[in-house]
Amino acid sequence: MNVIIDTSVWIDYFKQGEQTSIVDVLIDENLITTNDIILAELVPFLRVKKQKKLIRLLYKIRKLPLKTDWDEIIEFQVKCIRKGINGVGIPDLIIAQNSKHHQCKLYSLDKHFRLLNEVVDVDLFD
């Protein structure tokens, strides 16, 4: 089992929040993965905060390639709109698609993924 750790979980982890012990276990068991979108969300802030060591560690995590299927992303959005789920951003849709394509669990604190899971079968990590 591989687990994509979403930006929301990383932020909680960096603040030593409630998810810290769970993320520690996933790290210790070498189960975590990331992708370029998550890195693009995290790294700029870390650069501003001069967290070079943390950035280096993030870049050592196994990175899943992104192969965005835009037709599928559009279909995800159509399903969301039909279900009345608004506000799911394109980055979240791509992360969900990346998780599905690589058959990984997705660990997120973002409510958009729970809503998205109502219309697109995303394997969420609990």
Side-chain angles (χ1 to χ4, degrees), residues 64-101:
L64 300 175
L66 289 170
K67 294 182 181 178
T68 306
D69 178 343
W70 291 105
D71 291 333
E72 186 176 45
I73 294 295
I74 291 168
E75 189 57 34
F76 288 176
Q77 277 288 50
V78 168
K79 288 178 180 180
C80 285
I81 291 167
R82 284 189 177 139
K83 185 82 171 178
I85 300 169
N86 300 313
V88 178
I90 298 298
D92 286 346
L93 292 172
I94 294 171
I95 291 168
Q97 183 185 67
N98 188 236
S99 172
K100 286 177 65 65
H101 285 185

Side-chain angles (χ1 to χ4, degrees), residues 31-117:
L31 298 175
I32 62 172
T33 61
T34 193
N35 63 39
D36 284 325
I37 291 178
I38 294 166
L39 291 173
E41 290 177 334
L42 290 171
V43 170
F45 180 78
L46 294 172
R47 279 190 185 164
V48 169
K49 296 294 186 180
K50 297 182 181 358
Q51 296 292 319
K52 293 178 185 178
K53 181 178 178 183
L54 192 49
I55 293 168
R56 280 193 303 275
L57 291 172
L58 284 171
Y59 275 108
K60 288 184 178 187
I61 296 171
R62 181 177 40 249
K63 186 168 60 168
L64 300 175
L66 289 170
K67 294 182 181 178
T68 306
D69 178 343
W70 291 105
D71 291 333
E72 186 176 45
I73 294 295
I74 291 168
E75 189 57 34
F76 288 176
Q77 277 288 50
V78 168
K79 288 178 180 180
C80 285
I81 291 167
R82 284 189 177 139
K83 185 82 171 178
I85 300 169
N86 300 313
V88 178
I90 298 298
D92 286 346
L93 292 172
I94 294 171
I95 291 168
Q97 183 185 67
N98 188 236
S99 172
K100 286 177 65 65
H101 285 185
H102 290 282
Q103 299 175 334
C104 293
K105 291 192 173 287
L106 176 60
Y107 187 14
S108 180
L109 303 176
D110 188 336
K111 68 178 182 169
H112 289 126
F113 289 110
R114 302 258 180 255
L115 294 172
L116 182 60
N117 199 36

Side-chain angles (χ1 to χ4, degrees), residues 11-22:
I11 291 170
D12 179 82
Y13 182 75
F14 297 153
K15 293 179 179 180
Q16 297 183 358
E18 294 178 18
Q19 308 308 308
T20 301
S21 60
I22 297 169

